[in-house]
mmCIF file of all heavy atoms in Angstrom:
data_model
loop_
_atom_site.group_PDB
_atom_site.id
_atom_site.type_symbol
_atom_site.label_atom_id
_atom_site.label_comp_id
_atom_site.label_asym_id
_atom_site.label_seq_id
_atom_site.Cartn_x
_atom_site.Cartn_y
_atom_site.Cartn_z
ATOM 1 N N SER A 628 -7.382 12.790 -0.766
ATOM 2 C CA SER A 628 -8.580 13.616 -0.559
ATOM 3 C C SER A 628 -9.456 13.049 0.552
ATOM 4 O O SER A 628 -9.993 13.802 1.381
ATOM 5 C CB SER A 628 -9.374 13.717 -1.861
ATOM 6 O OG SER A 628 -8.604 14.303 -2.881
ATOM 7 N N MET A 629 -9.611 11.725 0.595
ATOM 8 C CA MET A 629 -10.411 11.114 1.653
ATOM 9 C C MET A 629 -9.783 11.337 3.020
ATOM 10 O O MET A 629 -10.492 11.586 4.013
ATOM 11 C CB MET A 629 -10.575 9.623 1.374
ATOM 12 C CG MET A 629 -11.410 9.307 0.145
ATOM 13 S SD MET A 629 -11.496 7.548 -0.245
ATOM 14 C CE MET A 629 -12.520 6.964 1.110
ATOM 15 N N THR A 630 -8.459 11.262 3.094
ATOM 16 C CA THR A 630 -7.780 11.514 4.373
ATOM 17 C C THR A 630 -8.032 12.928 4.862
ATOM 18 O O THR A 630 -8.337 13.153 6.049
ATOM 19 C CB THR A 630 -6.273 11.271 4.209
ATOM 20 O OG1 THR A 630 -6.056 9.942 3.722
ATOM 21 C CG2 THR A 630 -5.552 11.444 5.530
ATOM 22 N N ARG A 631 -7.934 13.894 3.962
ATOM 23 C CA ARG A 631 -8.161 15.287 4.366
ATOM 24 C C ARG A 631 -9.612 15.532 4.764
ATOM 25 O O ARG A 631 -9.894 16.325 5.682
ATOM 26 C CB ARG A 631 -7.766 16.211 3.216
ATOM 27 C CG ARG A 631 -6.269 16.209 2.947
ATOM 28 C CD ARG A 631 -5.911 17.058 1.737
ATOM 29 N NE ARG A 631 -4.472 17.110 1.517
ATOM 30 C CZ ARG A 631 -3.890 17.740 0.507
ATOM 31 N NH1 ARG A 631 -4.646 18.358 -0.398
ATOM 32 N NH2 ARG A 631 -2.577 17.739 0.383
ATOM 33 N N LEU A 632 -10.544 14.864 4.108
ATOM 34 C CA LEU A 632 -11.950 15.038 4.471
ATOM 35 C C LEU A 632 -12.243 14.489 5.865
ATOM 36 O O LEU A 632 -12.967 15.107 6.652
ATOM 37 C CB LEU A 632 -12.836 14.350 3.434
ATOM 38 C CG LEU A 632 -12.993 15.064 2.089
ATOM 39 C CD1 LEU A 632 -13.684 14.162 1.084
ATOM 40 C CD2 LEU A 632 -13.777 16.361 2.260
ATOM 41 N N VAL A 633 -11.689 13.317 6.168
ATOM 42 C CA VAL A 633 -11.900 12.745 7.504
ATOM 43 C C VAL A 633 -11.264 13.629 8.568
ATOM 44 O O VAL A 633 -11.842 13.859 9.647
ATOM 45 C CB VAL A 633 -11.346 11.308 7.561
ATOM 46 C CG1 VAL A 633 -11.492 10.739 8.962
ATOM 47 C CG2 VAL A 633 -12.078 10.414 6.572
ATOM 48 N N GLN A 634 -10.073 14.141 8.290
ATOM 49 C CA GLN A 634 -9.440 15.054 9.243
ATOM 50 C C GLN A 634 -10.236 16.344 9.398
ATOM 51 O O GLN A 634 -10.351 16.891 10.503
ATOM 52 C CB GLN A 634 -8.012 15.357 8.787
ATOM 53 C CG GLN A 634 -7.082 14.164 8.855
ATOM 54 C CD GLN A 634 -5.729 14.449 8.236
ATOM 55 O OE1 GLN A 634 -5.561 15.416 7.487
ATOM 56 N NE2 GLN A 634 -4.744 13.597 8.526
ATOM 57 N N ARG A 635 -10.797 16.841 8.306
ATOM 58 C CA ARG A 635 -11.615 18.053 8.384
ATOM 59 C C ARG A 635 -12.875 17.818 9.222
ATOM 60 O O ARG A 635 -13.280 18.684 10.011
ATOM 61 C CB ARG A 635 -12.013 18.493 6.968
ATOM 62 C CG ARG A 635 -12.931 19.717 6.924
ATOM 63 C CD ARG A 635 -12.248 20.945 7.494
ATOM 64 N NE ARG A 635 -13.132 22.099 7.493
ATOM 65 C CZ ARG A 635 -13.235 22.961 6.487
ATOM 66 N NH1 ARG A 635 -12.500 22.764 5.379
ATOM 67 N NH2 ARG A 635 -14.027 24.001 6.557
ATOM 68 N N ALA A 636 -13.478 16.649 9.080
ATOM 69 C CA ALA A 636 -14.648 16.333 9.900
ATOM 70 C C ALA A 636 -14.295 16.316 11.380
ATOM 71 O O ALA A 636 -15.080 16.782 12.225
ATOM 72 C CB ALA A 636 -15.227 14.986 9.474
ATOM 73 N N ARG A 637 -13.111 15.806 11.715
ATOM 74 C CA ARG A 637 -12.705 15.776 13.122
ATOM 75 C C ARG A 637 -12.480 17.185 13.665
ATOM 76 O O ARG A 637 -12.879 17.506 14.785
ATOM 77 C CB ARG A 637 -11.417 14.953 13.257
ATOM 78 C CG ARG A 637 -10.961 14.763 14.692
ATOM 79 C CD ARG A 637 -9.536 14.248 14.737
ATOM 80 N NE ARG A 637 -9.365 13.093 13.853
ATOM 81 C CZ ARG A 637 -8.188 12.630 13.497
ATOM 82 N NH1 ARG A 637 -7.076 13.229 13.919
ATOM 83 N NH2 ARG A 637 -8.087 11.577 12.703
ATOM 84 N N VAL A 638 -11.858 18.053 12.861
ATOM 85 C CA VAL A 638 -11.616 19.426 13.306
ATOM 86 C C VAL A 638 -12.931 20.180 13.479
ATOM 87 O O VAL A 638 -13.125 20.912 14.459
ATOM 88 C CB VAL A 638 -10.692 20.143 12.298
ATOM 89 C CG1 VAL A 638 -10.578 21.626 12.632
ATOM 90 C CG2 VAL A 638 -9.310 19.493 12.297
ATOM 91 N N GLU A 639 -13.841 20.011 12.521
ATOM 92 C CA GLU A 639 -15.134 20.684 12.630
ATOM 93 C C GLU A 639 -15.927 20.179 13.831
ATOM 94 O O GLU A 639 -16.668 20.942 14.465
ATOM 95 C CB GLU A 639 -15.939 20.465 11.345
ATOM 96 C CG GLU A 639 -15.344 21.113 10.105
ATOM 97 C CD GLU A 639 -15.466 22.622 10.140
ATOM 98 O OE1 GLU A 639 -16.273 23.144 10.940
ATOM 99 O OE2 GLU A 639 -14.745 23.296 9.375
ATOM 100 N N ARG A 640 -15.786 18.916 14.152
ATOM 101 C CA ARG A 640 -16.505 18.352 15.297
ATOM 102 C C ARG A 640 -15.983 18.917 16.612
ATOM 103 O O ARG A 640 -16.756 19.094 17.565
ATOM 104 C CB ARG A 640 -16.377 16.824 15.273
ATOM 105 C CG ARG A 640 -17.181 16.112 16.373
ATOM 106 C CD ARG A 640 -16.908 14.615 16.348
ATOM 107 N NE ARG A 640 -17.567 13.938 17.434
ATOM 108 C CZ ARG A 640 -18.798 13.420 17.374
ATOM 109 N NH1 ARG A 640 -19.482 13.519 16.257
ATOM 110 N NH2 ARG A 640 -19.326 12.810 18.416
ATOM 111 N N GLU A 641 -14.695 19.191 16.673
ATOM 112 C CA GLU A 641 -14.137 19.740 17.907
ATOM 113 C C GLU A 641 -14.739 21.103 18.242
ATOM 114 O O GLU A 641 -14.840 21.476 19.400
ATOM 115 C CB GLU A 641 -12.612 19.858 17.781
ATOM 116 C CG GLU A 641 -11.882 18.522 17.789
ATOM 117 C CD GLU A 641 -12.008 17.815 19.119
ATOM 118 O OE1 GLU A 641 -12.101 18.513 20.156
ATOM 119 O OE2 GLU A 641 -12.021 16.567 19.127
ATOM 120 N N GLY A 642 -15.147 21.864 17.223
ATOM 121 C CA GLY A 642 -15.725 23.177 17.479
ATOM 122 C C GLY A 642 -17.072 23.122 18.179
ATOM 123 O O GLY A 642 -17.447 24.067 18.882
ATOM 124 N N VAL A 643 -17.823 22.050 17.969
ATOM 125 C CA VAL A 643 -19.151 21.912 18.597
ATOM 126 C C VAL A 643 -19.190 20.629 19.421
ATOM 127 O O VAL A 643 -20.223 19.946 19.497
ATOM 128 C CB VAL A 643 -20.251 21.905 17.520
ATOM 129 C CG1 VAL A 643 -20.406 23.272 16.887
ATOM 130 C CG2 VAL A 643 -19.953 20.861 16.451
ATOM 131 N N LYS A 644 -18.070 20.288 20.031
ATOM 132 C CA LYS A 644 -17.964 19.023 20.753
ATOM 133 C C LYS A 644 -18.962 18.947 21.902
ATOM 134 O O LYS A 644 -19.617 17.910 22.098
ATOM 135 C CB LYS A 644 -16.537 18.858 21.283
ATOM 136 C CG LYS A 644 -16.295 17.542 22.004
ATOM 137 C CD LYS A 644 -14.843 17.435 22.451
ATOM 138 C CE LYS A 644 -14.599 16.115 23.169
ATOM 139 N NZ LYS A 644 -13.183 15.996 23.612
ATOM 140 N N GLY A 645 -19.115 20.023 22.653
ATOM 141 C CA GLY A 645 -20.040 19.993 23.787
ATOM 142 C C GLY A 645 -21.478 19.775 23.358
ATOM 143 O O GLY A 645 -22.213 18.977 23.965
ATOM 144 N N VAL A 646 -21.911 20.462 22.312
ATOM 145 C CA VAL A 646 -23.292 20.320 21.845
ATOM 146 C C VAL A 646 -23.528 18.925 21.283
ATOM 147 O O VAL A 646 -24.587 18.310 21.528
ATOM 148 C CB VAL A 646 -23.595 21.394 20.780
ATOM 149 C CG1 VAL A 646 -25.008 21.241 20.251
ATOM 150 C CG2 VAL A 646 -23.387 22.784 21.354
ATOM 151 N N VAL A 647 -22.561 18.380 20.546
ATOM 152 C CA VAL A 647 -22.724 17.051 19.963
ATOM 153 C C VAL A 647 -22.788 15.990 21.045
ATOM 154 O O VAL A 647 -23.636 15.079 20.998
ATOM 155 C CB VAL A 647 -21.577 16.774 18.984
ATOM 156 C CG1 VAL A 647 -21.622 15.332 18.493
ATOM 157 C CG2 VAL A 647 -21.640 17.720 17.798
ATOM 158 N N GLU A 648 -21.910 16.071 22.035
ATOM 159 C CA GLU A 648 -21.945 15.092 23.118
ATOM 160 C C GLU A 648 -23.246 15.181 23.906
ATOM 161 O O GLU A 648 -23.795 14.157 24.332
ATOM 162 C CB GLU A 648 -20.746 15.307 24.042
ATOM 163 C CG GLU A 648 -19.410 14.935 23.412
ATOM 164 C CD GLU A 648 -18.253 15.190 24.357
ATOM 165 O OE1 GLU A 648 -18.502 15.813 25.434
ATOM 166 O OE2 GLU A 648 -17.116 14.794 24.037
ATOM 167 N N LYS A 649 -23.759 16.367 24.086
ATOM 168 C CA LYS A 649 -25.034 16.518 24.792
ATOM 169 C C LYS A 649 -26.182 15.933 23.985
ATOM 170 O O LYS A 649 -27.091 15.300 24.539
ATOM 171 C CB LYS A 649 -25.285 18.001 25.071
ATOM 172 C CG LYS A 649 -26.521 18.270 25.912
ATOM 173 C CD LYS A 649 -26.661 19.751 26.211
ATOM 174 C CE LYS A 649 -27.911 20.027 27.048
ATOM 175 N NZ LYS A 649 -28.063 21.474 27.349
ATOM 176 N N SER A 650 -26.166 16.104 22.665
ATOM 177 C CA SER A 650 -27.248 15.573 21.826
ATOM 178 C C SER A 650 -27.192 14.059 21.690
ATOM 179 O O SER A 650 -28.203 13.430 21.361
ATOM 180 C CB SER A 650 -27.178 16.201 20.429
ATOM 181 O OG SER A 650 -25.985 15.826 19.770
ATOM 182 N N GLU A 651 -26.035 13.447 21.966
ATOM 183 C CA GLU A 651 -25.908 12.003 21.850
ATOM 184 C C GLU A 651 -26.225 11.280 23.142
ATOM 185 O O GLU A 651 -26.147 10.042 23.176
ATOM 186 C CB GLU A 651 -24.484 11.643 21.391
ATOM 187 C CG GLU A 651 -24.189 12.044 19.952
ATOM 188 C CD GLU A 651 -22.770 11.734 19.547
ATOM 189 O OE1 GLU A 651 -21.975 11.361 20.451
ATOM 190 O OE2 GLU A 651 -22.437 11.874 18.358
ATOM 191 N N ARG A 652 -26.577 11.994 24.202
ATOM 192 C CA ARG A 652 -26.993 11.342 25.443
ATOM 193 C C ARG A 652 -28.292 10.584 25.218
ATOM 194 O O ARG A 652 -29.160 10.994 24.454
ATOM 195 C CB ARG A 652 -27.174 12.364 26.555
ATOM 196 C CG ARG A 652 -25.865 12.907 27.108
ATOM 197 C CD ARG A 652 -26.061 14.138 27.966
ATOM 198 N NE ARG A 652 -27.246 14.063 28.814
ATOM 199 C CZ ARG A 652 -27.690 15.074 29.574
ATOM 200 N NH1 ARG A 652 -27.035 16.226 29.554
ATOM 201 N NH2 ARG A 652 -28.763 14.930 30.309
ATOM 202 N N THR A 653 -28.423 9.438 25.889
ATOM 203 C CA THR A 653 -29.594 8.587 25.671
ATOM 204 C C THR A 653 -30.893 9.272 26.073
ATOM 205 O O THR A 653 -31.946 9.003 25.489
ATOM 206 C CB THR A 653 -29.442 7.289 26.472
ATOM 207 O OG1 THR A 653 -29.226 7.598 27.869
ATOM 208 C CG2 THR A 653 -28.264 6.474 25.949
ATOM 209 N N ASP A 654 -30.864 10.171 27.056
ATOM 210 C CA ASP A 654 -32.092 10.846 27.467
ATOM 211 C C ASP A 654 -32.426 12.051 26.588
ATOM 212 O O ASP A 654 -33.517 12.616 26.698
ATOM 213 C CB ASP A 654 -31.974 11.304 28.923
ATOM 214 C CG ASP A 654 -30.779 12.221 29.132
ATOM 215 O OD1 ASP A 654 -29.816 12.135 28.343
ATOM 216 O OD2 ASP A 654 -30.807 13.029 30.084
ATOM 217 N N VAL A 655 -31.489 12.419 25.682
ATOM 218 C CA VAL A 655 -31.714 13.580 24.821
ATOM 219 C C VAL A 655 -32.054 13.163 23.393
ATOM 220 O O VAL A 655 -32.715 13.915 22.669
ATOM 221 C CB VAL A 655 -30.468 14.496 24.828
ATOM 222 C CG1 VAL A 655 -30.658 15.700 23.925
ATOM 223 C CG2 VAL A 655 -30.167 14.949 26.256
ATOM 224 N N VAL A 656 -31.615 11.953 22.977
ATOM 225 C CA VAL A 656 -31.843 11.502 21.606
ATOM 226 C C VAL A 656 -33.343 11.464 21.314
ATOM 227 O O VAL A 656 -34.129 10.854 22.032
ATOM 228 C CB VAL A 656 -31.224 10.111 21.389
ATOM 229 C CG1 VAL A 656 -31.602 9.567 20.017
ATOM 230 C CG2 VAL A 656 -29.716 10.168 21.533
ATOM 231 N N GLY A 657 -33.751 12.165 20.275
ATOM 232 C CA GLY A 657 -35.154 12.254 19.902
ATOM 233 C C GLY A 657 -35.919 13.363 20.590
ATOM 234 O O GLY A 657 -37.070 13.639 20.229
ATOM 235 N N ARG A 658 -35.301 14.011 21.585
ATOM 236 C CA ARG A 658 -35.962 15.093 22.339
ATOM 237 C C ARG A 658 -35.037 16.308 22.426
ATOM 238 O O ARG A 658 -34.946 16.973 23.447
ATOM 239 C CB ARG A 658 -36.317 14.599 23.740
ATOM 240 C CG ARG A 658 -37.175 13.332 23.749
ATOM 241 C CD ARG A 658 -37.256 12.710 25.120
ATOM 242 N NE ARG A 658 -37.861 13.596 26.096
ATOM 243 C CZ ARG A 658 -37.946 13.333 27.409
ATOM 244 N NH1 ARG A 658 -37.430 12.204 27.870
ATOM 245 N NH2 ARG A 658 -38.511 14.185 28.231
ATOM 246 N N GLU A 659 -34.360 16.598 21.323
ATOM 247 C CA GLU A 659 -33.382 17.681 21.323
ATOM 248 C C GLU A 659 -34.035 19.036 21.573
ATOM 249 O O GLU A 659 -33.445 19.905 22.248
ATOM 250 C CB GLU A 659 -32.626 17.712 19.984
ATOM 251 C CG GLU A 659 -31.642 16.570 19.774
ATOM 252 C CD GLU A 659 -32.320 15.338 19.220
ATOM 253 O OE1 GLU A 659 -33.578 15.364 19.094
ATOM 254 O OE2 GLU A 659 -31.635 14.345 18.926
ATOM 255 N N GLU A 660 -35.221 19.242 21.051
ATOM 256 C CA GLU A 660 -35.873 20.544 21.219
ATOM 257 C C GLU A 660 -36.238 20.825 22.671
ATOM 258 O O GLU A 660 -36.411 21.979 23.058
ATOM 259 C CB GLU A 660 -37.115 20.600 20.343
ATOM 260 C CG GLU A 660 -36.816 20.532 18.850
ATOM 261 C CD GLU A 660 -38.073 20.657 18.021
ATOM 262 O OE1 GLU A 660 -39.169 20.753 18.628
ATOM 263 O OE2 GLU A 660 -37.974 20.652 16.776
ATOM 264 N N GLU A 661 -36.377 19.783 23.482
ATOM 265 C CA GLU A 661 -36.710 19.965 24.901
ATOM 266 C C GLU A 661 -35.501 20.364 25.732
ATOM 267 O O GLU A 661 -35.608 21.213 26.626
ATOM 268 C CB GLU A 661 -37.285 18.658 25.480
ATOM 269 C CG GLU A 661 -38.757 18.464 25.207
ATOM 270 C CD GLU A 661 -39.274 17.220 25.898
ATOM 271 O OE1 GLU A 661 -39.146 17.137 27.148
ATOM 272 O OE2 GLU A 661 -39.759 16.327 25.212
ATOM 273 N N PHE A 662 -34.359 19.736 25.439
ATOM 274 C CA PHE A 662 -33.197 19.878 26.309
ATOM 275 C C PHE A 662 -32.151 20.849 25.772
ATOM 276 O O PHE A 662 -31.257 21.251 26.527
ATOM 277 C CB PHE A 662 -32.534 18.511 26.520
ATOM 278 C CG PHE A 662 -33.377 17.537 27.296
ATOM 279 C CD1 PHE A 662 -34.203 16.637 26.644
ATOM 280 C CD2 PHE A 662 -33.359 17.527 28.676
ATOM 281 C CE1 PHE A 662 -34.977 15.740 27.339
ATOM 282 C CE2 PHE A 662 -34.130 16.635 29.388
ATOM 283 C CZ PHE A 662 -34.953 15.738 28.722
ATOM 284 N N LEU A 663 -32.205 21.200 24.500
ATOM 285 C CA LEU A 663 -31.192 22.078 23.916
ATOM 286 C C LEU A 663 -31.764 23.471 23.701
ATOM 287 O O LEU A 663 -32.944 23.632 23.348
ATOM 288 C CB LEU A 663 -30.693 21.520 22.583
ATOM 289 C CG LEU A 663 -30.004 20.144 22.620
ATOM 290 C CD1 LEU A 663 -29.558 19.727 21.226
ATOM 291 C CD2 LEU A 663 -28.830 20.140 23.579
ATOM 292 N N ALA A 664 -30.898 24.455 23.916
ATOM 293 C CA ALA A 664 -31.305 25.837 23.673
ATOM 294 C C ALA A 664 -31.360 26.106 22.170
ATOM 295 O O ALA A 664 -30.919 25.302 21.348
ATOM 296 C CB ALA A 664 -30.325 26.801 24.353
ATOM 297 N N GLU A 665 -31.888 27.276 21.823
ATOM 298 C CA GLU A 665 -32.051 27.596 20.414
ATOM 299 C C GLU A 665 -30.708 27.736 19.718
ATOM 300 O O GLU A 665 -30.539 27.294 18.578
ATOM 301 C CB GLU A 665 -32.847 28.896 20.280
ATOM 302 C CG GLU A 665 -33.176 29.258 18.838
ATOM 303 C CD GLU A 665 -34.058 30.488 18.745
ATOM 304 O OE1 GLU A 665 -34.511 30.972 19.794
ATOM 305 O OE2 GLU A 665 -34.279 30.952 17.611
ATOM 306 N N GLU A 666 -29.724 28.344 20.416
ATOM 307 C CA GLU A 666 -28.400 28.481 19.815
ATOM 308 C C GLU A 666 -27.740 27.110 19.636
ATOM 309 O O GLU A 666 -27.070 26.854 18.632
ATOM 310 C CB GLU A 666 -27.505 29.363 20.690
ATOM 311 C CG GLU A 666 -27.958 30.810 20.799
ATOM 312 C CD GLU A 666 -29.087 30.981 21.825
ATOM 313 O OE1 GLU A 666 -29.435 29.962 22.485
ATOM 314 O OE2 GLU A 666 -29.609 32.106 21.960
ATOM 315 N N GLU A 667 -27.955 26.204 20.597
ATOM 316 C CA GLU A 667 -27.390 24.866 20.485
ATOM 317 C C GLU A 667 -28.051 24.080 19.349
ATOM 318 O O GLU A 667 -27.378 23.328 18.631
ATOM 319 C CB GLU A 667 -27.549 24.123 21.806
ATOM 320 C CG GLU A 667 -26.712 24.705 22.942
ATOM 321 C CD GLU A 667 -26.981 24.008 24.264
ATOM 322 O OE1 GLU A 667 -28.094 23.454 24.432
ATOM 323 O OE2 GLU A 667 -26.090 24.019 25.131
ATOM 324 N N LEU A 668 -29.349 24.227 19.196
ATOM 325 C CA LEU A 668 -30.034 23.551 18.091
ATOM 326 C C LEU A 668 -29.523 24.037 16.740
ATOM 327 O O LEU A 668 -29.325 23.242 15.808
ATOM 328 C CB LEU A 668 -31.548 23.767 18.197
ATOM 329 C CG LEU A 668 -32.277 22.988 19.291
ATOM 330 C CD1 LEU A 668 -33.726 23.437 19.371
ATOM 331 C CD2 LEU A 668 -32.193 21.490 19.038
ATOM 332 N N GLU A 669 -29.313 25.339 16.620
ATOM 333 C CA GLU A 669 -28.809 25.879 15.363
ATOM 334 C C GLU A 669 -27.394 25.389 15.085
ATOM 335 O O GLU A 669 -27.065 25.019 13.944
ATOM 336 C CB GLU A 669 -28.835 27.406 15.421
ATOM 337 C CG GLU A 669 -28.407 28.089 14.126
ATOM 338 C CD GLU A 669 -29.360 27.791 12.972
ATOM 339 O OE1 GLU A 669 -30.539 27.480 13.240
ATOM 340 O OE2 GLU A 669 -28.905 27.862 11.814
ATOM 341 N N ALA A 670 -26.536 25.383 16.127
ATOM 342 C CA ALA A 670 -25.171 24.881 15.943
ATOM 343 C C ALA A 670 -25.173 23.395 15.597
ATOM 344 O O ALA A 670 -24.387 22.943 14.741
ATOM 345 C CB ALA A 670 -24.353 25.127 17.209
ATOM 346 N N LEU A 671 -26.073 22.618 16.230
ATOM 347 C CA LEU A 671 -26.152 21.188 15.937
ATOM 348 C C LEU A 671 -26.642 20.954 14.512
ATOM 349 O O LEU A 671 -26.139 20.069 13.812
ATOM 350 C CB LEU A 671 -27.080 20.510 16.948
ATOM 351 C CG LEU A 671 -27.250 18.993 16.812
ATOM 352 C CD1 LEU A 671 -25.920 18.284 17.040
ATOM 353 C CD2 LEU A 671 -28.302 18.478 17.799
ATOM 354 N N ARG A 672 -27.607 21.752 14.072
ATOM 355 C CA ARG A 672 -28.130 21.586 12.718
ATOM 356 C C ARG A 672 -27.058 21.929 11.670
ATOM 357 O O ARG A 672 -26.890 21.214 10.674
ATOM 358 C CB ARG A 672 -29.355 22.478 12.531
ATOM 359 C CG ARG A 672 -30.116 22.233 11.228
ATOM 360 C CD ARG A 672 -31.333 23.119 11.142
ATOM 361 N NE ARG A 672 -32.260 22.888 12.238
ATOM 362 C CZ ARG A 672 -32.462 23.730 13.257
ATOM 363 N NH1 ARG A 672 -31.800 24.881 13.296
ATOM 364 N NH2 ARG A 672 -33.306 23.453 14.207
#
Side-chain angles (χ1 to χ4, degrees):
S628 300
M629 293 176 70
T630 304
R631 292 176 177 178
L632 285 170
V633 177
Q634 293 173 343
R635 177 63 182 270
R637 185 194 310 166
V638 172
E639 294 289 343
R640 184 185 175 91
E641 289 294 329
V643 290
K644 182 178 180 180
V646 178
V647 173
E648 290 179 351
K649 185 177 180 180
S650 64
E651 291 178 351
R652 286 167 39 186
T653 56
D654 57 335
V655 179
V656 173
R658 305 168 61 186
E659 288 85 355
E660 295 183 358
E661 277 185 58
F662 293 94
L663 298 180
E665 185 175 353
E666 295 81 4
E667 293 175 334
L668 286 173
E669 183 64 25
L671 182 63
R672 189 178 300 108

